[in-house]
Amino acid sequence: MIREIDVKLLTEEISKLCIQATHFLSQDMVDAFQKAYEKERKPLAKEILSQLQENLSIAGEDMIPICQDTGMAVIFMEVGQDVHFVGGDLYEAINKGVAKGYTEGYLRKSVVEDPLLRVNTKDNTPAVIHYSVVPGDQVKITLAPKGFGSENMSKVYMLKPADGKEGVVNSILDAISAAGPNACPPLVIGAGLGGDFELAAKMAKHALTLPVEYHSPKEHIAEIEREVFEKANQLNIGPAGLGGDTTVLAVHIESFPTHIAGMPLAVNMCCHVNRHASVVI
Amino acid sequence: MRKEIQLPLTKEQAKTLKAGDMCFATGVLYTARDAAHKRMYDSLLNGEEIPISLEETALYYLGPTPAREGNVIGSAGPTTASRMDKYTPLLLGKGVSAVIGKGKRNEEVHRAIKEHGAVYFAAIGGAGALLSKCIKKAEVIAYDDLGTEAIRRLEVEQLPVVVIIDTMGNDYYEMVEKE
């Protein structure tokens, strides 16, 4: 049975998600801050964590975006194969939603029309859209506004099979060390392991949308997540890069089969403002 | 150490600040990020006038969100300073005494800070809602066409900033790394 969905509905929902994601973090992120605050031993780091918690409260109460970099809108569209979109062009409807959300929500317009000519598009469009087709007749939209302070510190490594688990752990830790204070720690790390060059990067971005407490169902991958988490928090980068026990709040790795000759690894950095919001239509 | 400082920062006062000092800044500063920096830099190289005086001026690397009705400004935290590295030595040479951003700076900026007796401060990245409460007045004074990247004159009270690079060239991030 084909289900018809009017694309105007998507425009409305996406506009709401833009405002929600930039003003409120998900509860698991709020809890992660509290847990980090309780564990942190360095006084200055504790003070900064408490200021970041206060920042979250102010953002929600006064409707001031958590961070002034309200990001480029990254959208994961999981479209049920029994869905038929009607009422207009899907791509346009999605971008209309982004434009509406960023304009009506007093969000910053941070997108330029051309990477070299750099003229602002003034409504934060276009969004970066990743589509996947899944069974069913529903559409799940996940919107993750991505700030570029942390995006700029992200990396793709084309590791060799011989690099093994150690190579994966060390590469992620190297990326975290290189990011240092620039990416606004404490960080959330999204990694994509396997697949090919671009799938690794896409998995890394998607991994940032996973709940803090979620771990890979593959035990050997979950082990890497835990090891990177422990070791990263011994790097003494700390909140705002001023030292401390809290350098990362979460580490997530998504993996996919890969080629006999390779082991791509992408590391997508996210600052402590790890924003994402979803809706199912 | 905790210190109260006045902006614009005099070169005299700059000398009293040490890497790692937590400062609460009150006074006047100007916002400028990538596009405004490039425009000022190009103008200066072409011998043209720029819209603000740089003598003992404080620059804040900020592109805020739009203000809601009744608010002075929107979310207003620092952006990554290293993107301004190309332009900073020239601006310091023209008299800028304080720059506020976040993250590491390159060798040239370290040298220029020492040479000109300036200070690089970091504000807390990602705390734009909290920091906006320290901003009491905001007005676009130049490069209006750049939108969020326009130059704004801000009046701030008790803006919390940490001295990262002091006038002697000491770098607090490097000191923390060696701890």
Side-chain angles (χ1 to χ4, degrees):
Chain A
M1 201 48 191
I2 296 294
R3 176 180 170 217
E4 291 197 337
I5 295 179
D6 192 321
V7 296
K8 289 183 211 60
L9 183 59
L10 301 189
T11 300
E12 286 310 311
E13 291 296 337
I14 285 169
S15 139
K16 282 187 237 162
L17 290 178
C18 293
I19 297 169
Q20 187 193 331
T22 49
H23 291 81
F24 304 92
L25 290 190
S26 51
Q27 189 58 42
D28 57 309
M29 277 301 297
V30 174
D31 295 344
F33 271 101
Q34 183 56 28
K35 209 169 146 190
Y37 177 80
E38 285 162 15
K39 271 174 75 179
E40 178 61 57
R41 292 170 302 172
K42 185 173 173 176
L44 177 61
K46 227 175 162 68
E47 187 179 338
I48 289 166
L49 285 172
S50 117
Q51 287 173 345
L52 293 179
Q53 288 179 303
E54 192 187 341
N55 184 59
L56 287 181
S57 308
I58 293 171
E61 281 160 24
D62 296 354
M63 289 306 283
I64 301 170
I66 304 165
C67 176
Q68 76 288 338
D69 184 355
T70 49
M72 191 165 188
V74 177
I75 300 177
F76 290 96
M77 292 280 298
E78 292 171 54
V79 181
Q81 64 189 35
D82 298 331
V83 170
H84 177 215
F85 291 111
V86 296
D89 181 312
L90 176 62
Y91 180 80
E92 273 177 22
I94 292 170
N95 281 305
K96 243 187 222 172
V98 170
K100 187 169 188 277
Y102 274 75
T103 306
E104 293 178 1
Y106 295 86
L107 306 180
R108 196 177 81 182
K109 288 75 181 174
S110 310
V111 175
V112 292
E113 202 272 324
D114 180 282
L116 287 171
L117 305 178
R118 307 201 74 81
V119 178
N120 199 299
T121 63
K122 296 197 163 69
D123 61 5
N124 220 54
T125 65
V128 174
I129 309 170
H130 302 291
Y131 296 97
S132 56
V133 179
V134 298
D137 64 357
Q138 296 183 324
V139 177
K140 182 177 180 191
I141 307 169
T142 299
L143 181 126
K146 190 64 173 73
F148 262 52
S150 55
E151 192 74 357
N152 280 338
M153 305 313 290
S154 302
K155 283 192 161 63
V156 173
Y157 299 90
M158 299 309 282
L159 298 178
K160 297 177 185 69
D163 293 327
K165 177 190 161 194
E166 200 188 333
V168 175
V169 171
N170 290 341
S171 299
I172 301 176
L173 289 172
D174 280 352
I176 296 170
S177 296
N182 292 28
C184 288
L187 307 171
V188 175
I189 308 298
L193 179 64
D196 63 353
F197 180 77
E198 83 281 359
L199 181 58
K202 190 175 146 183
M203 288 191 293
K205 173 70 39 75
H206 188 265
L208 294 174
T209 68
L210 298 171
V212 170
E213 65 279 8
Y214 179 87
H215 281 290
S216 171
K218 296 174 191 166
E219 186 44 40
H220 67 292
I221 301 286
E223 208 172 276
I224 299 176
E225 292 174 336
R226 287 191 292 267
E227 185 176 341
V228 171
F229 183 86
E230 292 301 325
K231 288 186 171 163
N233 283 329
Q234 288 162 20
L235 292 172
N236 195 35
I237 295 171
L242 302 173
D245 307 313
T246 317
T247 297
V248 299
L249 293 172
V251 178
H252 294 302
I253 304 174
E254 291 192 8
S255 66
F256 192 82
T258 190
H259 189 278
I260 49 173
M263 191 165 66
L265 170 71
V267 184
N268 198 194
M269 298 281 164
C270 192
C271 59
H272 54 83
V273 191
N274 181 27
R275 300 167 287 204
H276 45 86
S278 298
V279 68
V280 176
I281 295 169
Chain B
M1 264 185 73
R2 288 178 179 263
K3 292 175 179 169
E4 304 266 331
I5 57 169
Q6 282 295 319
L7 298 178
L9 187 70
T10 63
K11 296 258 171 122
E12 276 309 305
Q13 199 182 6
K15 277 190 226 160
T16 67
L17 302 177
K18 299 285 164 242
D21 286 348
M22 170 64 97
C23 300
F24 296 89
T26 298
V28 174
L29 43 71
Y30 293 88
T31 68
R33 49 170 290 150
D34 307 57
H37 267 76
K38 183 178 189 318
R39 202 175 279 184
M40 284 196 284
Y41 181 86
D42 290 345
S43 294
L44 289 170
L45 289 186
N46 291 330
E48 295 159 10
E49 291 285 308
I50 60 165
I52 55 172
S53 160
L54 297 179
E55 194 56 38
E56 292 196 329
T57 293
L59 297 180
Y60 184 15
Y61 304 150
L62 162 69
T65 60
R68 281 184 184 270
E69 286 80 12
N71 288 2
V72 170
I73 199 164
S75 193
T79 194
T80 309
S82 58
R83 292 196 316 274
M84 267 46 81
D85 282 355
K86 175 179 172 184
Y87 313 113
T88 300
L90 179 70
L91 299 183
L92 294 177
K94 298 285 181 190
V96 169
S97 59
V99 290
I100 304 172
K102 63 165 169 100
K104 295 183 179 180
R105 310 303 306 256
N106 69 11
E107 269 314 304
E108 286 73 28
V109 172
H110 278 85
R111 262 202 301 277
I113 283 175
K114 206 169 158 183
E115 184 186 344
H116 301 294
V119 176
Y120 167 51
F121 298 92
I124 302 172
L130 179 72
L131 294 172
S132 76
K133 299 290 181 186
C134 303
I135 299 169
K136 304 301 170 187
K137 229 173 142 181
E139 182 192 359
V140 172
I141 57 143
Y143 304 163
D144 198 10
D145 60 301
L146 296 180
T148 184
E149 298 205 64
I151 295 180
R152 289 171 169 78
R153 180 184 183 277
L154 304 186
E155 290 181 22
V156 298
E157 274 176 33
Q158 301 281 318
L159 183 78
V161 290
V162 178
V163 176
I164 300 297
I165 308 175
D166 63 24
T167 55
M168 303 298 288
N170 300 306
D171 184 318
Y172 190 59
Y173 292 139
E174 288 170 10
M175 290 158 69
V176 168
E177 274 172 21
K178 285 178 195 141
E179 262 175 28

